[in-house]
Amino acid sequence: MALFPASALRPGVRKREVFGWAMYDFANSGYTTVVITAVFAAYFVGGIAKGAPWATFAWTAALSTSYAIVMLTMPAIGAWADLRAAKKRVLVMTTTGCVLATAALALTPGFAGGAMGVALAMALVIVSNAFYSYGESLTGAFLPELATAEGMGKVSGWGWAFGYVGGMLALGLCLAYVLWSQAHGLPAAHFVPVTMLITAAIYGVAACVTFALLPERAVPQARRGQDSAWRQLRTTFQQARAYRDFMWLLVCTVCYQGGVAVAITLAAIYAEQVIGFVASETMVLIFVLNVAAALGAFAFGYVQDRIGHKVSLAATLLAWIAVCVIAAWVTTKGGFWWAAAIAGLAMGSSQSAGRAMTGYLAPPQQLAEFFGLWTFATRLASIIGPLSFGAITWATGGNQRIAILSTAVLFIGGLLLLLPIDMQRGRRAALHDKAAAR
């Protein structure tokens, strides 16, 4: 039980509530692992669009559109949820939307090869990824209600680690079915729909555990209830100077998460096109990367509570810089495995640290709103990072090694932008907001 100390939790919070919260990370991780990274991305390009020259651009355009929608809407949704103490209610709705849209992706192979199929697949990816992003932000807003300031790193790490286990489960089941199908000579048009249904089912069933165990601890804010969500959001931006450390964190997040987004969305493409992996090897690579990420998120949660969130995040950014250099330098599969292992450890720890820092610096009365701002930053990063990688690849005549090495600049920028952040000053500003609300 020493691994999960009750001292990391706020008074009155039971461990079953934390388990319920972590189950949402378990539930939604399969979506990014299977749909965005390992299976549907490749099938969209090669199966739905039949390898057309514009196929990769269409895929990135669909993702960028979903991220733009989330950027423009999530902060206001978060403000609305804070005013009405409705985080859990909105989480149920967004989860339902993502599960249904993911399951509907199973229909797309029937329209492959035509404009209708491409349009349908893009629309479902936009919808499912937008709802996924809403859910990720809302579940993060529960973290400061569960964990103490001193235990936020541990609890965030528990969630991320459990999430990667869920991603491994979804990918493992899908990989088993893909290998079985290939052994029986079945085409991708047969096994891809099944993988979408597996992913949707795991997401929906596991999320029900969250809905059953995780309570809504917030209360409606009557004093602020007369303001609209957009007006409250505008007020928050106008008061940004009072939360300058949080705002520095957002800018830092845009920078380094752009590099993380490159790893999530383009690792499989780089492994296959540059290093020479085949599809089954890529799925195994991503599975092992999830193992490393789970270990990194869990273990580093304890480290960051001991040495501090800022120092911890800085250490992970240094690891990411090393990943970019190694990946650009190596020419063998064995060498790339080293880069992938370090990337897995850095991915889990950096994402856990970023979420914990957000929870530490967010005003307690505006958790969903401020996590909405964090989501704005991460989704902007998800547009900037992959598009920068693609632009550099295009400008260098298809040289992805230069592009991956250039990605190190995003992590260096994040490291530099981390320097002005004063965690204690930012925490005092957040708690002053709570005192003022009383």
Side-chain angles (χ1 to χ4, degrees):
M1 298 302 292
L3 283 177
F4 305 98
S7 60
L9 308 182
R10 294 175 66 87
V13 174
R14 295 175 294 177
K15 290 186 177 181
R16 57 178 290 180
E17 296 174 30
V18 180
F19 174 74
W21 174 77
M23 276 299 292
Y24 198 84
D25 279 347
F26 181 96
N28 71 358
S29 292
Y31 173 81
T32 53
T33 304
V34 176
V35 178
I36 302 301
T37 303
V39 178
F40 196 79
Y43 181 70
F44 176 88
V45 173
I48 302 295
K50 300 299 182 182
W54 44 263
T56 300
F57 175 77
W59 174 254
T60 56
L63 293 179
S64 296
T65 300
S66 69
Y67 295 140
I69 291 171
V70 173
M71 284 168 51
L72 294 173
T73 58
M74 186 61 228
I77 291 173
W80 185 91
D82 280 329
L83 291 173
R84 292 160 179 79
K87 296 192 301 297
K88 185 174 178 179
R89 193 191 329 163
V90 180
L91 183 62
V92 172
M93 292 188 290
T94 59
T95 300
T96 301
C98 186
V99 169
L100 292 178
T102 301
L105 286 171
L107 302 175
T108 56
F111 300 90
M116 176 69 74
V118 172
L120 177 62
M122 290 181 67
L124 290 173
V125 167
I126 291 170
V127 171
S128 63
N129 199 42
F131 279 127
Y132 162 82
S133 299
Y134 291 144
E136 181 184 43
S137 177
L138 289 162
T139 191
F142 283 93
L143 174 61
E145 296 178 351
L146 301 174
T148 64
E150 297 75 19
M152 213 167 291
K154 297 184 187 70
V155 178
S156 180
W158 299 346
W160 277 115
F162 209 34
Y164 285 115
V165 173
M168 286 185 286
L169 173 64
L171 183 60
L173 292 175
C174 292
L175 176 59
Y177 189 78
V178 168
L179 294 175
W180 179 88
S181 299
Q182 290 177 336
H184 288 77
L186 298 174
H190 170 82
F191 59 73
V192 167
V194 176
T195 64
M196 296 300 101
L197 295 176
I198 290 173
T199 303
I202 292 174
Y203 196 160
V205 172
C208 287
V209 179
T210 298
F211 303 146
L213 298 180
L214 181 64
E216 175 70 76
R217 290 181 171 272
V219 295
Q221 300 176 35
R223 188 176 67 84
R224 297 167 58 207
Q226 301 300 317
D227 292 336
S228 70
W230 282 107
R231 185 178 303 170
Q232 174 58 36
L233 180 62
R234 185 168 60 251
T235 300
T236 298
F237 274 115
Q238 291 171 348
Q239 298 172 344
R241 186 171 298 178
Y243 310 115
R244 55 177 171 171
D245 295 292
F246 182 85
M247 293 302 171
W248 272 113
L249 175 61
L250 291 185
V251 179
C252 172
T253 298
V254 171
C255 205
Y256 83 81
Q257 282 283 10
V260 175
V262 169
I264 293 174
T265 59
L266 297 166
I269 296 174
Y270 188 90
E272 292 184 13
Q273 295 187 0
V274 178
I275 306 299
F277 280 66
V278 297
S280 58
E281 290 175 326
T282 301
M283 292 183 74
V284 173
L285 175 75
I286 294 172
F287 185 90
V288 174
L289 189 148
N290 273 265
V291 174
L295 295 173
F298 184 83
F300 216 74
Y302 293 83
V303 174
Q304 64 179 295
D305 281 339
R306 180 177 294 272
I307 68 175
H309 303 301
K310 181 178 174 179
V311 175
S312 299
L313 182 57
T316 68
L317 297 185
L318 290 173
W320 273 117
I321 295 169
V323 169
C324 294
V325 173
I326 295 172
W329 183 264
V330 300
T331 58
T332 65
K333 293 179 181 179
F336 191 74
W337 270 101
W338 281 104
I342 299 172
L345 293 170
M347 184 180 299
S349 54
S350 63
Q351 291 178 315
S352 173
R355 182 166 67 178
M357 288 180 71
T358 302
Y360 190 82
L361 298 176
Q365 300 299 317
Q366 298 167 265
L367 292 177
E369 180 181 345
F370 272 63
F371 268 92
L373 295 174
W374 175 67
T375 298
F376 179 99
T378 59
R379 293 314 175 249
L380 178 59
S382 296
I383 296 173
I384 292 174
L387 286 181
S388 299
F389 185 95
I392 293 171
T393 301
W394 182 28
T396 57
N399 193 326
Q400 293 190 42
R401 291 188 181 276
I402 294 178
I404 198 67
L405 184 61
S406 299
T407 302
V409 174
L410 292 173
F411 295 114
I412 294 172
L415 194 60
L416 295 176
L417 291 167
L418 187 63
L419 295 178
I421 299 175
D422 185 323
M423 295 297 292
Q424 297 308 313
R425 181 181 61 196
R427 182 65 175 174
R428 287 194 299 269
L431 295 181
H432 174 75
D433 179 87
K434 180 179 181 181
R438 292 173 180 171

